[in-house]
């Protein structure tokens, strides 16, 4: 079946960066990614690359940062005082915290530790990076009326409620 808006799509994917390092892969977890096509629930460049594909298709997609996680905003990188991390003894590079940043609730990543000065980055970890996807379309089916109403799919790989 062909992928069009309001189809429930299952894909296996391997995501690599420009250095050809694997960032994420559905193969390792064994579960394909399942999503409702046409709702913007996956990054726009990947959704566009999948549009019109069929069950069983295998292809590579190169997604520029602008169609993936967007650009890096310098003002989301801030140096704050260690005191802000109340109750956390060991602050280390790579730690992630939920925080209320100017754009609303988000994840910040510790990118540098210099004495009592902690540099945090509120950009998405993949912001500013073009992404390479290896895709296999595992399954395509019509979404149910309920799934379309909810804006997500149910069952395997989807919401259970
Ligand atoms: Zn639902």
């Amino acid at each position: 079946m062909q992928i069009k808006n309001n189809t429930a799509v299952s894909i296996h994917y391997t995501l690599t960066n420009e250095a050809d390092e694997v960032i994420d892969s559905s193969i390792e977890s064994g579960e394909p990614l399942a999503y409702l096509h046409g709702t913007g629930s996956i990054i726009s460049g990947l959704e566009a690359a999948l549009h019109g594909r069929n069950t069983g298709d295998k292809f590579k997609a190169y997604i520029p940062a602008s169609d993936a996680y967007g650009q890096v905003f310098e003002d989301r990188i801030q140096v704050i005082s260690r005191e802000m991390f109340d109750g956390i003894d060991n602050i280390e590079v790579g730690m992630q915290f939920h925080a209320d940043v100017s754009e609303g609730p988000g994840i910040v990543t510790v990118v540098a530790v210099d004495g009592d000065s902690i540099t945090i980055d509120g950009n998405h970890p993949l912001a500013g990076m073009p992404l390479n996807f290896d895709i296999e379309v595992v399954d395509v089916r019509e979404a149910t009326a309920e799934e379309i109403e909810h804006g997500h799919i149910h069952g395997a790989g989807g919401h259970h409620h």
Side-chain angles (χ1 to χ4, degrees):
M1 185 173 175
Q2 191 174 30
I3 297 174
K4 55 185 170 58
N5 288 349
N6 293 329
T7 52
V9 180
S10 298
I11 58 169
H12 268 307
Y13 68 92
T14 298
L15 168 59
T16 51
N17 62 16
E18 286 200 295
D20 216 24
E21 297 161 336
V22 175
I23 298 169
D24 191 15
S25 172
S26 65
I27 313 284
E28 283 167 28
S29 68
E31 283 269 304
L33 170 75
Y35 75 97
L36 180 61
H37 189 80
T39 56
S41 59
I42 61 173
I43 59 171
S44 63
L46 185 57
E47 188 160 58
L50 281 156
H51 198 80
R53 302 280 181 170
N54 287 282
T55 306
D57 280 1
K58 293 181 180 179
F59 63 98
K60 294 178 191 295
Y62 173 84
I63 315 288
S66 57
D67 295 324
Y69 292 97
Q71 60 175 301
V72 171
F73 293 97
E74 292 299 329
D75 61 359
R76 293 183 190 171
I77 302 170
Q78 295 172 22
V79 179
I80 61 174
S81 163
R82 183 181 287 273
E83 290 163 22
M84 302 281 285
F85 295 88
D86 204 17
I88 301 163
D89 294 334
N90 254 326
I91 314 275
E92 290 175 2
V93 170
M95 286 177 126
Q96 293 190 315
F97 298 92
H98 288 273
D100 283 315
V101 289
S102 47
E103 301 76 32
I107 303 265
V108 299
T109 307
V110 175
V111 292
V113 176
D114 180 18
D116 284 337
S117 297
I118 313 291
T119 306
I120 57 166
D121 186 349
N123 290 289
H124 189 283
L126 299 179
M129 291 169 60
L131 304 176
N132 291 295
F133 284 93
D134 253 306
I135 299 290
E136 179 184 357
V137 180
V138 177
D139 188 52
V140 184
R141 63 169 171 81
E142 295 282 355
T144 66
E146 188 184 47
E147 288 172 325
I148 293 166
E149 189 187 327
H150 288 195
H152 56 233
I153 69 158
H154 298 153
H159 287 241
H160 299 274
H161 60 90

